Amino acid sequence: QGSGTEAYVKAALIKSFHDLDADFLATTADIQDGCGAAVALVVGDHVFLASLGRCIATLAEVDSEGDRPRPAEVRAGGQAAASGCLGGPARKRGGPGAPGCTPEVVGTALKGFAKHPFLMLGSSTVRTVLDPSEFVGMAADFRMQPRFAVSEISARVLEEHARRGAQVPPQIVVAQACFLPPKEGSQAGEEKKPSIPPAKKARVGLKTLRLRHILLKVQDAAGKQPAGPAASASAGAKAKPARPRAEAEGMLRDVLKELCKDLSEAAKAPKTPTDLIIFQGKKFAELCKKMSDCPTAQKGGAMCGDLGWMSLEELGVMGGNLREKVEPLKQGQWSDIVLSDKGMHLIQRVA
């Protein structure tokens, strides 16, 4: 972007903080407290992080292929910014030497998904529990699954505040932005994906994905029947009561952690996506039969939870963010938490 543009963006972010501070001072004079802030702004192939108070903003970085992400050296939250806040009570009283409202702003050139997979923002309630390395490390356990990552971090922070004796649950804000890998077929010389013997043939002329899933009905799901293979419900299946969203989200998070634990304890790690799918098949079928509210959970063997081949159009008809979350998946990958008109899903792309 060039040094001129970088300087301009940093100045614009600082001015935005100053404008917010002026607004807070004018409209919240009776509130004897201030607040911190963390902002991430992506401009072209650069990211700018700004932090004020004890909020945290950090970019995850990978040193070499196979390494776990760690906080990049460029992260917002220096000493001067840490002592400041927006709408600070000392400035409301007009006292001298009041902490400022100028954030620390750092910028860096993004070097692709493999080098910079995601960035994280967190409130001061998160920063008092997790340092930047722990913050990024917890998110790294859920690659390309920001909702899982955010809910896991939030649960950990709530638990720690309760352990410290907090009488009222603190306000927690966590955000993760994942940078996407290139789309399939967008790079010349890309290796052909390994294949597995399909249970059903892919339809010619359409982009189709073969999927398996666990579905949990939630209390605020719309209740419409989805189009496609998932609609073939067995008439005699006993309906399970819908769950609160937070409970369903926690259950799916536990499923994913159990699958990952099973994989980490394997004597021999799967070498290909096909090997991974086969390896996880037994554990997945066990969990699917136990938990899923979809009639596909009653299928036997490797077909348990199988949705068959679905086109992007059929995924869109199922509603919610299902198509958006599933389309980028590569073979063997698990989705983030997915919402459709039927409820909440955890989905694996099989082929």
Side-chain angles (χ1 to χ4, degrees):
Q1 291 293 317
S3 58
T5 301
E6 182 171 336
Y8 173 81
V9 172
K10 288 183 177 182
L13 279 170
I14 290 171
K15 184 179 185 304
S16 296
F17 273 71
H18 289 172
D19 290 345
L20 275 174
D21 180 67
D23 183 63
F24 280 13
L25 290 173
T27 59
T28 63
D30 56 332
I31 299 176
Q32 295 304 306
D33 200 0
C35 69
V39 172
L41 177 64
V42 178
V43 181
D45 60 356
H46 281 61
V47 63
F48 297 86
L49 302 176
S51 179
L52 187 66
R54 290 188 59 80
C55 296
I56 184 171
T58 186
L59 176 67
E61 187 170 87
V62 176
D63 291 323
S64 58
E65 188 175 353
D67 288 351
R68 279 178 64 81
R70 59 168 181 79
E73 293 302 321
V74 285
R75 63 175 182 270
Q79 187 61 39
S83 63
C85 64
L86 297 172
R91 287 200 306 286
K92 289 175 182 176
R93 294 192 298 268
C101 62
T102 298
E104 180 186 21
V105 182
V106 292
T108 189
L110 295 170
K111 298 178 181 177
F113 164 79
K115 181 68 174 178
H116 295 127
F118 58 86
L119 62 83
M120 300 293 299
L121 304 175
S123 59
S124 60
T125 48
V126 175
R127 183 66 181 86
T128 57
V129 173
L130 302 172
D131 64 31
S133 294
E134 293 171 317
F135 193 37
V136 169
M138 288 190 70
D141 290 336
F142 300 92
R143 298 293 296 271
M144 295 292 294
Q145 296 164 318
R147 186 156 174 170
F148 275 127
V150 164
S151 58
E152 180 74 359
I153 291 169
S154 299
R156 163 75 185 281
V157 172
L158 275 173
E159 181 182 323
E160 179 59 22
H161 279 283
R163 190 190 67 80
R164 296 177 183 180
Q167 300 299 311
V168 178
Q171 290 186 331
I172 297 171
V173 180
V174 183
Q176 182 187 35
C178 296
F179 299 106
L180 297 176
K183 285 189 175 182
E184 289 181 5
S186 63
Q187 292 180 317
E190 184 177 352
E191 291 185 9
K192 188 176 180 180
K193 303 189 299 295
S195 60
I196 64 172
K200 303 174 186 178
K201 291 183 178 179
R203 280 161 281 182
V204 177
L206 291 174
K207 179 179 178 180
T208 56
L209 311 175
R210 186 177 159 205
L211 310 168
R212 62 184 180 190
H213 78 147
I214 291 175
L215 165 70
L216 298 180
K217 294 179 181 177
V218 292
Q219 289 177 353
D220 55 350
K224 292 189 298 182
Q225 290 292 331
S232 55
S234 56
K238 185 178 179 180
K240 297 179 183 178
R243 303 168 177 83
R245 287 172 66 116
E247 178 185 336
E249 197 164 315
M251 290 172 66
L252 291 180
R253 198 166 69 242
D254 288 342
V255 167
L256 187 62
K257 288 195 288 187
E258 193 163 343
L259 288 165
C260 291
K261 180 175 181 290
D262 209 42
L263 181 61
S264 68
E265 295 175 350
K268 185 178 180 182
K271 292 183 177 180
T272 68
T274 302
D275 292 340
L276 174 64
I277 292 162
I278 294 170
F279 174 83
Q280 292 185 320
K282 183 178 179 180
K283 175 61 72 173
F284 170 79
E286 173 189 320
L287 295 169
C288 184
K289 284 184 180 295
K290 178 181 176 182
M291 299 175 60
S292 183
D293 296 331
C294 181
T296 58
Q298 305 309 313
K299 294 180 180 180
M303 295 299 293
C304 185
D306 186 72
L307 289 169
W309 290 95
M310 299 191 71
S311 69
L312 298 180
E313 289 70 24
E314 287 173 323
L315 293 173
V317 169
M318 290 179 72
N321 62 357
L322 195 141
R323 173 173 174 167
E324 172 193 338
K325 294 290 186 180
V326 171
E327 185 177 358
L329 293 179
K330 297 185 183 296
Q331 188 190 23
Q333 284 186 331
W334 291 96
S335 71
D336 197 1
I337 290 173
V338 174
L339 293 171
S340 77
D341 291 341
K342 291 298 292 179
M344 195 174 285
H345 309 249
L346 174 64
I347 300 175
Q348 185 182 38
R349 179 174 175 180
V350 178

